[in-house]
């Protein structure tokens, strides 16, 4: 019989977290994230996914390569430009929510616990369905950027600032 492990998968909504980090005024280290959530000896990391929008195929190449070398599976999508009639401004968005949810459900048999780095309320229904399968869900975000629906749907909410000392990027 195999020893019991708490099997963990991490899903990072890179664009959402970029803005959360900007709001907080500090950046986290992807390597320290993996280390922090696998400190306990009975925790086994089974997957780590990072999702990000790109301006073009070479955008963030070094960063993406570094993530892959750390063990992340990196999913990308080219940013699309949108025009807002109300503000008269253009904005860019990749919208990788569907990719995140698909990966969560395609790998659901592999993990017992999900750590989702996002504050996007669009994940509420997916989180509810995963919880109905006895999956423990932790959402990591920051005040002012976490949707109330998402916070209510999760088992545990962690504010980035509460774990800053463990995950902050210390070298540039």
């Amino acid at each position: 019989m195999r020893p019991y492990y708490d099997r963990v998968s991490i899903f990072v909504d890179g664009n959402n977290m970029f803005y959360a980090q900007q709001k907080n005024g500090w950046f986290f280290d992807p390597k320290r994230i993996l280390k922090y959530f696998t400190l306990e000896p009975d925790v086994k990391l089974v997957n780590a996914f990072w999702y990000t929008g790109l301006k073009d195929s070479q955008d963030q190449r070094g960063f993406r390569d570094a993530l892959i070398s750390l063990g992340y599976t990196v999913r990308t999508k080219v940013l699309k430009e949108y025009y807002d009639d109300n503000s008269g401004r253009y904005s860019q968005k990749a919208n990788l929510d569907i990719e995140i949810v698909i990966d969560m459900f395609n790998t659901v048999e592999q993990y017992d616990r999900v750590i989702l780095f996002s504050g996007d309320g669009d994940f509420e229904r997916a989180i509810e369905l995963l919880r109905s399968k006895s999956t423990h869900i932790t959402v990591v975000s920051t005040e002012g950027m976490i949707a109330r629906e998402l916070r209510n749907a999760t088992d545990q909410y962690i504010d980035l600032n509460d774990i800053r000392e463990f995950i902050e990027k210390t070298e540039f």
Side-chain angles (χ1 to χ4, degrees):
M1 195 166 124
R2 76 170 177 86
Y4 174 77
Y5 287 104
D6 183 17
R7 301 169 305 158
V8 173
S9 283
I10 297 174
F11 298 85
V12 180
D13 180 345
N15 293 16
N16 186 282
M17 286 295 101
F18 176 76
Y19 293 113
Q21 292 172 95
Q22 275 191 322
K23 178 185 185 295
N24 288 335
W26 60 274
F27 288 84
F28 58 69
D29 181 337
K31 183 177 184 178
R32 293 186 79 193
I33 293 234
L34 298 179
K35 184 177 176 187
Y36 177 75
F37 286 102
T38 58
L39 279 174
E40 300 296 320
D42 62 339
V43 173
K44 180 180 178 190
L45 179 68
V46 292
N47 287 308
F49 293 90
W50 194 288
Y51 305 83
T52 190
L54 305 175
K55 293 176 185 153
D56 58 55
S57 63
Q58 294 306 308
D59 188 26
Q60 303 177 37
R61 176 57 109 193
F63 180 63
R64 289 185 286 141
D65 289 347
L67 288 171
I68 291 166
S69 72
L70 291 172
Y72 285 91
T73 298
V74 179
R75 304 265 195 247
T76 62
K77 193 186 270 188
V78 175
L79 293 165
K80 291 184 180 172
E81 198 166 80
Y82 296 93
Y83 180 74
D84 183 348
D85 290 329
N86 296 328
S87 69
R89 293 187 179 152
Y90 286 94
S91 63
Q92 292 183 322
K93 194 169 176 143
N95 207 350
L96 285 141
D97 297 355
I98 292 296
E99 286 77 1
I100 295 171
V101 170
I102 287 171
D103 284 338
M104 284 178 163
F105 281 91
N106 276 344
T107 60
V108 70
E109 300 300 324
Q110 299 173 17
Y111 58 76
D112 307 301
R113 195 158 51 104
V114 162
I115 314 293
L116 172 63
F117 279 76
S118 183
D120 192 332
D122 290 343
F123 293 113
E124 176 189 18
R125 185 69 181 129
I127 296 303
E128 288 172 350
L129 290 171
L130 287 171
R131 285 184 69 200
S132 75
K133 297 179 180 296
S134 301
T135 301
H136 184 276
I137 312 290
T138 299
V139 170
V140 183
S141 188
T142 200
E143 290 303 320
M145 294 197 71
I146 173 99
R148 181 174 38 248
E149 305 83 27
L150 182 60
R151 193 170 182 167
N152 288 340
T154 191
D155 291 302
Q156 180 183 16
Y157 166 71
I158 298 174
D159 190 288
L160 284 167
N161 290 305
D162 292 341
I163 58 174
R164 178 178 181 171
E165 67 181 294
F166 305 107
I167 66 168
E168 185 174 14
K169 188 168 191 66
T170 54
E171 66 216 34
F172 283 95

